[in-house]
């Protein structure tokens, strides 16, 4: 492919200028980071898996009327997306206590929460993405009250969709993070789901065994991260490559 202009490089993805105005190419790297990039590794195949899985989740969301930035997958590592103005908040939905809520509030990991809890974290690596309240968000102008209402409603729809999808393959959706962006049609502004949805940004536990199938495998040194993501992809019927030896020879004409 011809050289393209890099628009942004993050920890796990790169954004390039897209072929048409209002579009970007999102490239998934194999890099994994945790604890605000204190821990880093390259995990062969992670980018390919996340590209596929994010495509799968976003396509499903688009299909039930939850707007997302996803347009189409281009190749193994890249997808075409709509350019959005990212709201500088990580929107986390929790169904079961784990990770930071367990630590902060002393709730044992694995405790079912009385209802899905939506939290906002201010996206600022230098500050370590602090938890913020709706008061902070409105006072500092990161989003309006109307945006917040729309963000919560989007996040809960994503939660219902992903929880159901995962339940169907015997996986519990413990929690996840999404990012939301603004797009404009003339003067009319809409919020849509952006960034990625993948095991990098979810907690996924096998319902029977409790086995972790998400980035905690890397954060907590529990085994091979690519194997965990491959298991999720397999169960969902989303495999980037049929394993070698299982593919039938095909005629190319
Ligand atoms: P936490 O328990 O560390 O707050 O994480 C909650 C969920 O959000 C978990 O599924 C991981 C995800 N997450 C990210 O994707 N990126 C982040 O930077 C953080 C802190 C969490
Ligand atoms: N804090 C993120 C995580 O642990 C990744 C990072 O910021 O490096 O998921």
């Amino acid at each position: 492919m011809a050289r393209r202009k890099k628009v942004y490089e993050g920890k796990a993805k790169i954004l390039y200028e897209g072929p048409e105005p209002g579009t970007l190419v999102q490239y998934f790297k194999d890099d994994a980071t945790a604890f605000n990039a204190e821990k880093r590794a390259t995990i062969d195949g992670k980018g390919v898996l996340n590209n596929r899985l994010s495509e799968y989740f976003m396509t499903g969301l688009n299909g039930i009327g939850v707007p997302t930035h996803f347009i189409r997958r281009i190749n193994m590592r890249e997808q075409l997306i709509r350019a959005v103005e990212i709201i500088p908040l990580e929107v986390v939905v929790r169904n079961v206590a784990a990770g930071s809520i367990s630590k902060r509030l002393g709730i044992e990991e694995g405790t079912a929460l009385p209802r899905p809890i939506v939290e906002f974290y201010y996206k600022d690596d230098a500050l370590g993405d602090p938890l913020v309240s709706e008061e902070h968000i409105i006072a500092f102008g990161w989003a309006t009250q109307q945006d917040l209402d729309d963000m919560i409603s989007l996040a809960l729809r994503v939660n219902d969709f992903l929880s159901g999808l995962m339940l169907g393959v015997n996986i519990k959706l413990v929690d996840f993070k999404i990012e939301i962006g603004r797009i404009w049609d003339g003067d009319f502004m809409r919020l849509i789901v952006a960034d990625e949805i993948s095991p990098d940004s979810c907690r996924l536990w096998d319902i029977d065994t409790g086995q972790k199938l998400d980035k905690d495998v890397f954060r907590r040194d529990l085994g091979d991260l690519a194997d965990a993501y491959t298991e999720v992809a397999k169960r969902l019927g989303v495999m980037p490559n049929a394993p070698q030896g299982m593919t039938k020879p095909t005629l190319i004409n």
Side-chain angles (χ1 to χ4, degrees):
M1 191 179 269
R3 282 182 70 82
R4 293 164 303 185
K5 191 171 163 214
K6 195 190 280 187
V7 177
Y8 176 81
E9 177 155 7
K11 287 175 278 196
K13 298 185 295 296
I14 305 174
L15 295 176
Y16 296 98
E17 246 173 24
E20 292 131 38
T23 66
L24 294 170
V25 172
Q26 178 164 258
Y27 175 97
F28 288 76
K29 301 194 275 190
D30 280 341
D31 298 348
T33 68
F35 314 119
N36 207 8
E38 271 173 37
K39 178 169 178 168
R40 298 163 179 274
T42 302
I43 315 262
D44 278 348
K46 179 175 87 84
V48 173
L49 284 155
N50 281 354
N51 184 27
R52 278 294 187 136
L53 283 163
S54 201
E55 170 191 20
Y56 181 73
F57 298 133
M58 298 263 184
T59 303
L61 286 167
N62 285 336
I64 61 160
V66 176
T68 82
H69 72 166
F70 181 82
I71 301 172
R72 66 183 163 81
R73 190 168 56 80
I74 300 169
N75 57 40
M76 299 274 277
R77 287 191 181 270
E78 295 178 327
Q79 47 184 244
L80 186 68
I81 58 170
R82 295 189 66 164
V84 303
E85 181 188 302
I86 287 282
I87 295 180
L89 297 168
E90 303 204 332
V91 185
V92 169
V93 182
R94 301 179 187 273
N95 299 304
V96 173
S100 70
I101 197 173
S102 291
K103 232 180 175 174
R104 184 176 301 113
L105 302 181
I107 308 171
E108 194 185 340
E109 286 212 329
T111 309
L113 297 168
R115 47 170 246 190
I117 294 177
V118 182
E119 296 174 339
F120 298 97
Y121 293 82
Y122 180 51
K123 271 169 67 73
D124 186 320
D125 282 343
L127 298 175
D129 297 346
L131 177 68
V132 290
S133 71
E134 296 195 14
E135 284 283 299
H136 295 136
I137 294 168
I138 292 166
F140 297 125
W142 299 323
T144 64
Q145 183 66 59
Q146 180 65 56
D147 293 334
L148 277 174
D149 294 347
D150 293 347
M151 289 169 79
I152 291 170
S153 134
L154 271 178
L156 291 175
R157 290 179 74 193
V158 172
N159 186 45
D160 283 346
F161 174 76
L162 284 183
S163 295
L165 205 59
M166 292 300 173
L167 188 61
V169 295
N170 213 41
I171 291 173
K172 192 191 296 183
L173 178 66
V174 171
D175 57 32
F176 65 92
K177 183 263 306 189
I178 54 170
E179 296 189 21
I180 292 175
R182 301 176 193 281
I183 54 167
W184 276 272
D185 289 322
D187 283 345
F188 183 69
M189 190 276 295
R190 281 197 307 147
L191 299 183
I192 69 175
V193 178
D195 189 51
E196 72 177 288
I197 300 178
S198 76
D200 265 9
S201 48
C202 300
R203 282 198 176 91
L204 304 170
W205 296 354
D206 180 83
I207 289 178
D208 296 326
T209 65
Q211 187 191 353
K212 293 181 177 27
L213 299 169
D214 56 67
K215 207 165 92 176
D216 274 347
V217 171
F218 169 69
R219 293 191 192 95
R220 305 180 187 190
D221 296 318
L222 301 176
D224 188 297
L225 191 70
D227 284 353
Y229 290 17
T230 301
E231 175 65 21
V232 176
K234 261 194 198 160
R235 289 196 197 183
L236 292 167
V238 185
M239 278 297 290
N241 288 313
Q244 288 301 315
M246 285 179 62
T247 46
K248 290 194 191 129
T250 44
L251 266 182
I252 299 167
N253 17 190

